[in-house]
Amino acid sequence: MLIKKPTLIRPSEITPPSAYLNRRQFMQGLAGTAAFAASASALALPAPQFDKGLPVYAGPDWLQQQLRAGVSNKALSTDEKVAPYQHAIRHNNFYEFGTGKGDPAKNAQDFITDPWSVEISGEVNRPGTIGLEDLIKPHQLEERIVRLRCVEAWSMVLPFVGVSLATLLKQFEPTSKAKYVEFTTLNDPKQMPGQRSVFSSLDWPYVEALRMDEAMHPLAFMAVGMYGNALPPQNGAPLRLVLPWKYGFKWVKSIVGIRFTETMPATTWNKMAAQEYGFFANVNPAVSHPRWSQATERRLPSSLFRPNIIDTQPFNGYGDEVAHLYSDLDLKKWF
Amino acid sequence: MVLKQLKNHPALRLLEWWLLFLAALLPLAWISWQAWSFALGADPAKEITDYLGQWALYLLWGSLAITPLRQALGWTRLQRFRRMIGLYALFYATTHLLAFGTFIIGWRWDLLQTALTERTYIIVGALALLLLIPLGVTSTKGWQRRLKKRWTQLHQLVYPISLLVLLHVVWLIRDSYFDVFLYGSLLGWMLGYRVWRRLQRRLRRSASLSS
């Protein structure tokens, strides 16, 4: 079979990731100079340019301003090739909007993500409901390029913009009783067709949780943007977790609830099939899922005749940073 | 009378045969075109493999539907297409396997080995395909003649094969039971119909013997 270039998007229209990254480095170089550092238009994250015809998600004005003032966190970024934007916004597991990879991009476009608020509850000194703007405004946004490893044995490299999770959580002053933190996705069957499906075996709302020391780890991240713009609804707008050492299903999307607890919360996939989905869900090539060997992964996008098969690394390659969190755990048992 | 003659005209019968023959190639043509024009997104390998597997299932189910449709609704005209539909099921199952081997695992021997020893859904799927092969080989009139009564027995293997295929789908469930509900109820109806017919025949026979 002959593989032809796409007809819809001419190659000349696509911004190669290298150019996109170079531009960013160039701008950062400029930002470092006195002239730019002093000026209000010192854009560390330039407004990204995408292929014509692809949807762009700007988000509310306050967020757009904050995105433009964001900086790149090189230390916590991989230098691997970033997935092309059109694939990142059209290859999504977000069952609230359908189980097909293309369903969320189709069904989530009218999803209302502004205004948005998050309820903070449980073992904290400062519980309550907080608007997204109030939650994000006090913090400088940073970009991190990370590996997303799905439990279905595929992976993608994605540039997220957001705030370190620890910074975000500390402002609510978790008490000494807070041993776990639980994140809940919006439950709104009117907007989310997947939640209306009678054939679904998942309990809504979607809930996943972390141990407190995991949540406070510098790699744990709360994203509000992607590719220099706001998060697209199909990617979990307006607020989602990014936990690079854990399988993607832990990366809770469209978060409306953060609850601190003393005991381990019941989590969605674990409730559905405990023998298949552990609470921790750390990427581990040594523990297979009944449906997928986790020893290797297919890095997407992948070409047909030379599938991009790579060996999966323990903790998705972030072992140096996070392995110590689990030194007292049998990872075959606590998968 | 004229209509009946027309309906059985050899030219029309030939046309029907060719139409079905070409129509059954459309799914392959469609997915090839989609792949060729890069319309399958980030993971064309999985899209192609799933699509071919789905069509293998549709055609296998189609071949199983012919007997009940003929007997219950009198659609006798379908009967002569059963072999072609069955062979197409084998054809799509084979392309499904080839797509998996080529696009998903790149024919890496170690990956194939773990797939065939550890992934239960792959084991039952591969077994179903393996069992379909002798049915395809013996589908000709010559083999039908040679095997006589055994031919029917051999081709009743399609019932356990269809159950293996259903199991393949069951073990692929991540969240939604929709596919299994749909294919399962169709298969339940098609196999249940056969069991029911057989029971009736047996009852009738014993009734006529006792009278």
Side-chain angles (χ1 to χ4, degrees):
Chain A
M1 189 167 38
L2 189 75
I3 303 293
K4 209 188 67 162
K5 288 282 169 210
T7 45
L8 290 176
I9 305 154
R10 271 176 286 130
S12 58
E13 289 174 342
I14 298 174
T15 310
S18 58
Y20 154 63
L21 292 172
N22 282 343
R23 192 156 54 222
R24 175 163 310 150
Q25 278 155 7
F26 171 64
M27 293 308 285
Q28 276 155 7
L30 290 180
T33 66
F36 268 80
S39 102
S41 62
L43 306 181
L45 292 178
Q49 291 171 359
F50 298 124
D51 323 334
K52 280 178 200 129
L54 288 177
V56 172
Y57 303 89
D61 289 343
W62 64 264
L63 179 60
Q64 190 56 220
Q65 275 174 28
Q66 236 181 314
L67 286 163
R68 298 284 68 79
V71 293
S72 168
N73 187 333
K74 281 265 163 0
L76 294 179
S77 290
T78 170
D79 52 9
E80 287 157 287
K81 194 176 168 191
V82 172
Y85 177 69
Q86 74 263 26
H87 292 320
I89 64 167
R90 287 176 182 160
H91 190 87
N92 310 105
N93 272 335
F94 196 172
Y95 285 4
E96 281 83 342
F97 291 104
T99 53
K101 294 286 181 291
D103 290 346
K106 266 184 237 136
N107 299 331
Q109 295 312 306
D110 297 328
F111 183 44
I112 299 164
T113 57
D114 179 37
W116 191 271
S117 57
V118 183
E119 197 198 333
I120 314 294
S121 62
E123 308 292 345
V124 273
N125 290 330
R126 303 179 57 205
T129 301
I130 183 168
L132 185 68
E133 188 176 353
D134 296 331
L135 180 69
I136 299 300
K137 256 291 174 59
H139 310 287
Q140 168 152 56
L141 297 183
E142 55 178 87
E143 182 182 68
R144 298 180 182 187
I145 300 168
V146 298
R147 293 180 286 269
L148 163 65
R149 170 63 157 81
C150 180
V151 72
E152 298 165 353
W154 56 266
S155 63
M156 267 192 193
V157 175
L158 300 168
F160 285 104
V161 189
V163 187
S164 131
L165 185 60
T167 311
L168 207 64
L169 295 183
K170 273 178 200 155
Q171 61 186 321
F172 303 110
E173 297 166 20
T175 69
S176 58
K177 276 188 175 170
K179 301 280 190 300
Y180 296 89
V181 54
E182 173 197 272
F183 301 86
T184 306
T185 299
L186 179 71
N187 186 22
D188 186 357
K190 275 200 185 120
Q191 289 200 80
M192 296 173 148
Q195 292 177 336
R196 300 197 296 263
S197 165
V198 292
F199 295 103
S200 171
S201 47
L202 291 179
D203 279 342
W204 309 113
Y206 193 94
V207 171
E208 286 295 337
L210 297 170
R211 220 169 52 186
M212 212 53 195
D213 59 338
E214 300 181 301
M216 290 300 164
H217 191 279
L219 265 182
F221 193 59
M222 186 69 95
V224 291
M226 207 172 89
Y227 291 82
N229 250 318
L231 276 174
Q234 61 270 35
N235 294 78
L239 194 64
R240 74 167 297 173
L241 284 177
V242 171
L243 306 164
W245 74 100
K246 289 177 182 284
Y247 292 121
F249 71 85
K250 295 294 284 188
W251 302 26
V252 185
K253 302 189 184 83
S254 304
I255 293 168
V256 293
I258 301 178
R259 190 168 71 98
F260 297 84
T261 66
E262 196 171 5
T263 53
M264 188 185 275
T267 53
T268 297
W269 283 97
N270 188 253
K271 272 194 289 181
M272 204 266 260
Q275 71 287 0
E276 298 185 15
Y277 306 97
F279 172 84
F280 289 96
N282 294 320
V283 175
N284 189 348
V287 177
S288 281
H289 183 277
R291 270 189 295 298
W292 305 283
S293 159
Q294 302 296 15
T296 58
E297 67 202 53
R298 293 181 306 118
R299 176 62 53 83
L300 302 182
S302 177
S303 81
L304 276 178
F305 290 97
R306 271 174 295 124
N308 234 345
I309 302 167
I310 55 179
D311 287 345
T312 292
Q313 302 301 318
F315 302 105
N316 203 19
Y318 297 94
D320 287 348
E321 289 90 345
V322 297
H324 69 91
L325 296 175
Y326 312 101
S327 51
D328 57 342
L329 280 186
D330 176 1
L331 293 175
K332 296 226 166 182
K333 193 172 160 229
W334 295 99
F335 52 86
Chain B
M1 197 64 181
V2 177
L3 199 70
K4 199 172 180 190
Q5 270 179 353
L6 203 70
K7 259 172 80 177
N8 288 318
H9 195 281
L12 186 68
R13 289 169 69 90
L14 194 67
L15 182 73
E16 274 180 349
W17 192 92
W18 271 102
L19 277 179
L20 187 68
F21 179 83
L22 294 174
L25 283 172
L26 283 178
L28 183 67
W30 165 252
I31 199 71
S32 306
W33 163 252
Q34 292 288 96
W36 192 56
S37 52
F38 287 98
L40 296 175
D43 196 359
K46 177 129 193 321
E47 296 289 327
I48 294 171
T49 308
D50 286 359
Y51 186 82
L52 294 169
Q54 252 168 19
W55 273 95
L57 183 146
Y58 299 157
L59 289 157
L60 188 65
W61 264 227
S63 73
L64 282 165
I66 285 172
T67 298
L69 287 175
R70 189 193 67 217
Q71 292 177 345
L73 304 175
W75 291 7
T76 50
R77 232 179 149 75
L78 288 174
Q79 183 62 28
R80 70 193 181 96
F81 299 117
R82 189 171 68 169
R83 176 192 300 148
M84 193 205 295
I85 294 173
L87 281 171
Y88 263 122
L90 173 60
F91 172 74
Y92 275 97
T94 309
T95 58
H96 174 58
L97 173 79
L98 289 175
F100 171 78
T102 311
F103 305 143
I104 304 266
I105 62 170
W107 293 117
R108 260 179 59 175
W109 174 242
D110 55 329
L111 298 185
L112 188 66
Q113 207 178 4
T114 47
L116 286 173
T117 51
E118 289 175 20
R119 301 284 88 73
T120 45
Y121 78 94
I122 291 178
I123 296 169
V124 293
L127 192 61
L129 175 55
L130 204 66
L131 292 173
L132 266 181
I133 292 169
L135 304 198
V137 170
T138 60
S139 66
T140 60
K141 287 217 172 80
W143 274 104
Q144 215 163 345
R145 222 177 307 114
R146 251 166 282 161
L147 290 170
K148 298 192 182 95
K149 228 179 156 182
R150 295 213 170 266
W151 188 88
T152 313
Q153 287 174 341
L154 177 67
H155 281 249
Q156 278 170 348
L157 260 183
V158 72
Y159 307 139
I161 290 171
S162 64
L163 291 171
L164 287 174
V165 171
L166 190 66
L167 201 56
H168 180 65
V169 179
V170 169
W171 281 338
L172 272 167
I173 294 177
R174 292 169 306 161
D175 163 46
S176 173
Y177 284 95
F178 180 74
D179 287 354
V180 169
F181 173 79
L182 181 68
Y183 306 144
S185 41
L186 284 172
L187 188 65
W189 176 72
M190 294 188 297
L191 297 187
Y193 175 83
R194 287 169 164 88
V195 174
W196 178 71
R197 285 272 298 198
R198 204 163 284 191
L199 279 175
Q200 272 208 326
R201 235 178 292 151
R202 196 172 296 171
L203 279 175
R204 228 176 294 143
R205 210 178 304 142
S206 61
S208 66
L209 278 176
S210 61
S211 65

